[in-house]
Amino acid sequence: MFRMLRVATCAGLLTFSAGFSTTVSAAELDIVASFSIIGDFARNVGGDRVAITTLVGPDGDAHVYEPRPADAAALQRADVILVNGLGFEGFIGRLVEASGAKASVVEVSQGITPLKASEDEHHHEAGGHEGHDHAGHHHHGEFDPHAWQSVRNAEIYVKNIADAFCKADKAGCPIYTANAAAYTARLADLDKEVRDAIGAIPAGRRTIITSHDAFGYFERDYGLRFIAPEGVSTESEASASDVAKLIEQVKEDKASAIFLENITNPRLIEQIATETGLKVGGTLYSDALSGKDGPASTYVDLFRYNIRTLKAAIPAS
Ligand SMILES: [Zn+2]
């Protein structure tokens, strides 16, 4: 009722939004975020001033996402489109093109120091080009896209999002800048929390198994070693020989714990757990938040939950 009233006072908005009445709001900007973690950053920066549509929702896997017709409609009316980039959203380039979207696509990972995808290293030793193609045309598997798994990188994401909002809505810029500063202060505290928690894990207990290589940036910045049967994308399943190699490696390296991920099928991890005698230590949130009632419905909660889960499963001595 309230919503309808607001719309009725603004004839221009009503005309523009005809056909999408369920999503019409008083917001200054219509934002599309490619997946849940970016959606949460956008909410923290934009507050009530932005309306956010998230394409790949809670517990969703963006690597293998298949767009729905509603996604194209959301992109078509968007003022700003936020994507991770680094080849994470394989679906996005074609979808943006097909939707006729007019908004610019902002790669919010821009400015981080990307990690090369390990499985690709031998193919690219000579080249080493670091150019950024637009609209998701990165060579598949060239970089590890999971940069949000370092809180330091998340601070860069937030700055990029605030810059993009300021460009699209100059009047709101002071609000976006203030929101981003407040949220970045929380992220700085979170980063310290992660360092303290992971720093307390004994040196001999720092090898962890998950199902795909989603924690490379966590490893680089916080010093826990992650190994996985699947590479930086979930697109290709691990082969029997990949799994056999991993089990061999676990025996040599004495992994201290094994975890499921919220976005992947548990079967492979359960098999590896059985064959190595490691007990499954719970679920880590890798590429998506949990639903609202879950334990990781925001980025800050995701990190805190992952740390608690890691600490609880890794022997303290
Ligand atoms: Zn992933």
Side-chain angles (χ1 to χ4, degrees), residues 124-187:
H124 283 276
E125 268 165 5
H129 67 97
E130 313 239 331
H132 273 248
D133 287 352
H134 286 285
H137 290 141
H138 285 289
H139 175 66
H140 173 73
E142 186 176 355
F143 294 110
D144 178 347
H146 307 88
W148 61 85
Q149 287 293 350
S150 158
V151 181
R152 288 275 168 90
N153 287 341
E155 293 175 18
I156 295 172
Y157 280 38
V158 167
K159 187 186 181 308
N160 288 335
I161 291 168
D163 288 350
F165 287 3
C166 280
K167 214 169 142 192
D169 170 23
K170 286 197 172 54
C173 190
I175 298 169
Y176 303 134
T177 307
N179 288 350
Y183 185 60
T184 299
R186 288 180 62 201
L187 292 179

Side-chain angles (χ1 to χ4, degrees), residues 268-283:
L268 186 56
I269 287 299
E270 281 158 0
Q271 181 201 338
I272 294 167
T274 306
E275 292 192 30
T276 56
L278 285 168
K279 189 170 160 286
V280 175
T283 297

Side-chain angles (χ1 to χ4, degrees), residues 63 146 212 232 287:
H63 296 293
H146 307 88
H212 86 297
V232 295
D287 295 13

